[in-house]
Each structure stands twice: as C-alpha cells, then as structure tokens.
Amino acid sequence: EEEEGRICSWDPRHNAMFFHQTTVSVGMAMVGEFIEDVKSLRRLRPHGFCGVDLYHGIVLRFIRGSAAFLGEEEEAAVSFDITYYRSRDPARPRLDMDLWEEIEQIALFKYSARPHWGKNRPVGFIGAASKYPRLPRFLAVKDRFDPSGFFSSEWSDGLLGLDPLPLSQADGCALDGLCICVNDAHCAPHLGYRCRPGLVYSEARVCRKVDGDGDGDGDGDGDGDGDGHLIAHGLHYQKRPHYNS
C-alpha cells in the first residue's frame, strides 16, 4: 500500500512521467564502431540529440559475460540505455524519431546487439531469439517447470521465437514500434513523416519529417545537414528546429 504522498514517478494512475526506452547490449569488440556511427549521426543532426538530454542522455553500463541460458555470451558487453519522450497518443510521431530509429537499427542489425528483455519496442525483438545460442536449454527448463504454459503469453512466445512476434503492417505501425516502415503509410504522411533510408546506416528505414525543400532534415535550406546556418560576423548561427508537439 502506498505511503501518503509517496508514489513512483512512472505510476500511470497518477498521470506521472511518460517516456520510452531503447536498451541494447553491444559486444565489447564492436562498441567503438557503434559509438562512431552514433557520433556520425550527431554530426549530421546535432540538434536532434537535444531531447534525450532531458532524460539523462545515453547511459552506458558494462556487463560481464554470463553462463545463464539467456545471459550475455560475450566475455563483456556494453548496455546502451536511451530514454526519450513519447506521446501518450501512439499515432503521434516522436521528436526526431528517425534518429532514434536509426540508432536502434544500427545496434540491432548492423552490430547484432541484444535487446533488454524488459524494455524496447516490439521491433527491438526482431531476431532476438537467434542471438542466444543457449536458448534451447532455457526452453527445455521452461517446459519442464511450466509444461502447460501457465506463465507464457503471445508476447513471451514471440520473444522466445516460439511464435511470430505480434507485429503489424497497419497504417502508422512504425510510430509505436509495431513495424519497421517500408512505405510512407507506416509513418504519418499527413503530418509530414515519411519512410526514408538512414543517414549513416543506409539499410535502416525510418520515419523522417520531410520538409518543403524535400531533403528531410527539417530546416528548410535544402542542404540536408539540418543546420540551416547563417554566417554573420564570423559566427555560426544555428536556427532552432521546429517540432510537432
């Protein structure tokens, strides 16, 4: 029972904090390359990373290898924990969502990162079961102690590769992580968000706000770098980006 005046900051009963998390672990041997890719994105769209600073930035945790059946196979790995804003309306795009989708896909598909089992959007678990060589041993123990599947669900069976993940191809499915976009309808074309390749990882497919000049960087200057800069008195002036609320 709650003590008077004390609640968890994420308790939905009190209209408290609302955010989303992407958390993945990258094998130590590939951490440097992954970070360089993220830095490359930041150089292209520096303003796009400002929102995550409201939620402590990107938190790194170092993880030792484990003999657990669903543990880290690597001798060591680094977990990247990214917390950022999301609307309570699943059909509304997130701030600079194309950057975070690209980082998510870079980690998961380019560097075979493993998703945190208790976090991430549904697309974060695409192919997750194949990243755990000891998964069959875990499933054998699971069947032994829960033969009737009392503690299983459509969601958990999808994570473990027993059934397809509960994904979708409906309009807007990419906005809430129910698909990786393959066409504009999966984003929010009526709000200017369309399916585009990644800026650094060209194999990524992300929902990007496409502005009037068609370059998709949101600054209106047509150069695709997202800064819309003016040179005046030897200073680099960067226009403030415009976001949908």
Side-chain angles (χ1 to χ4, degrees):
E1 187 173 334
E2 297 177 359
E3 296 182 29
E4 184 176 356
R6 294 186 179 184
I7 62 171
C8 292
S9 60
W10 54 83
D11 192 331
R13 295 172 297 175
H14 298 278
N15 195 30
M17 293 177 64
F18 195 70
F19 51 81
H20 184 75
Q21 288 185 315
T22 291
T23 303
V24 295
S25 60
V26 179
M28 188 64 73
M30 296 180 288
V31 166
E33 295 177 53
F34 173 64
I35 291 176
E36 282 303 316
D37 282 346
V38 175
K39 286 182 175 180
S40 294
L41 265 177
R42 185 184 182 279
R43 284 191 289 269
L44 290 171
R45 291 265 299 279
H47 66 258
F49 282 70
C50 295
V52 76
D53 288 340
L54 298 173
Y55 301 96
H56 316 299
I58 301 177
V59 178
L60 276 63
R61 296 185 176 90
F62 292 85
I63 306 173
R64 296 180 61 182
S66 169
F69 295 158
L70 296 184
E72 290 294 334
E73 286 282 321
E74 305 282 345
E75 181 178 343
V78 176
S79 172
F80 293 83
D81 196 328
I82 308 170
T83 303
Y84 45 81
Y85 164 84
R86 63 167 289 183
S87 172
R88 293 179 184 274
D89 178 1
R92 180 165 291 279
R94 292 175 285 122
L95 298 177
D96 294 294
M97 65 177 295
D98 62 310
L99 296 180
W100 305 110
E101 286 184 315
E102 185 167 353
I103 290 173
E104 178 182 55
Q105 292 177 44
I106 288 173
L108 293 171
F109 306 133
K110 184 176 180 180
Y111 296 111
S112 297
R114 296 177 178 180
H116 186 296
W117 289 109
K119 301 179 182 180
N120 296 294
R121 309 181 306 156
V123 295
F125 296 97
I126 294 175
S130 66
K131 299 175 182 179
Y132 291 86
R134 293 191 291 258
L135 178 64
R137 299 178 66 184
F138 171 83
L139 294 176
V141 174
K142 171 185 172 298
D143 290 342
R144 176 184 174 189
F145 288 97
D146 185 25
S148 65
F150 181 82
F151 293 103
S152 296
S153 66
E154 178 187 10
W155 175 245
S156 66
D157 286 348
L159 298 190
L160 296 173
L162 300 175
D163 286 323
L165 280 168
L167 302 177
S168 170
Q169 291 294 310
D171 289 356
C173 57
L175 300 178
D176 209 27
L178 294 173
C179 73
I180 293 174
C181 72
V182 295
N183 57 58
D184 291 347
H186 290 160
C187 300
H190 61 292
L191 296 175
Y193 288 80
R194 301 182 181 278
C195 189
R196 293 291 184 266
L199 298 174
V200 171
Y201 181 47
S202 61
E203 295 180 34
R205 291 296 179 269
V206 300
C207 293
R208 181 174 300 126
K209 180 67 179 295
V210 178
D211 55 21
D213 59 28
D215 62 18
D217 63 16
D219 66 8
D221 65 2
D223 63 8
D225 64 6
D227 63 5
H229 64 273
L230 298 173
I231 304 299
H233 306 294
L235 299 176
H236 182 105
Y237 171 75
Q238 182 167 307
K239 297 189 297 186
R240 291 176 62 85
H242 299 281
Y243 300 119
N244 287 331
S245 59

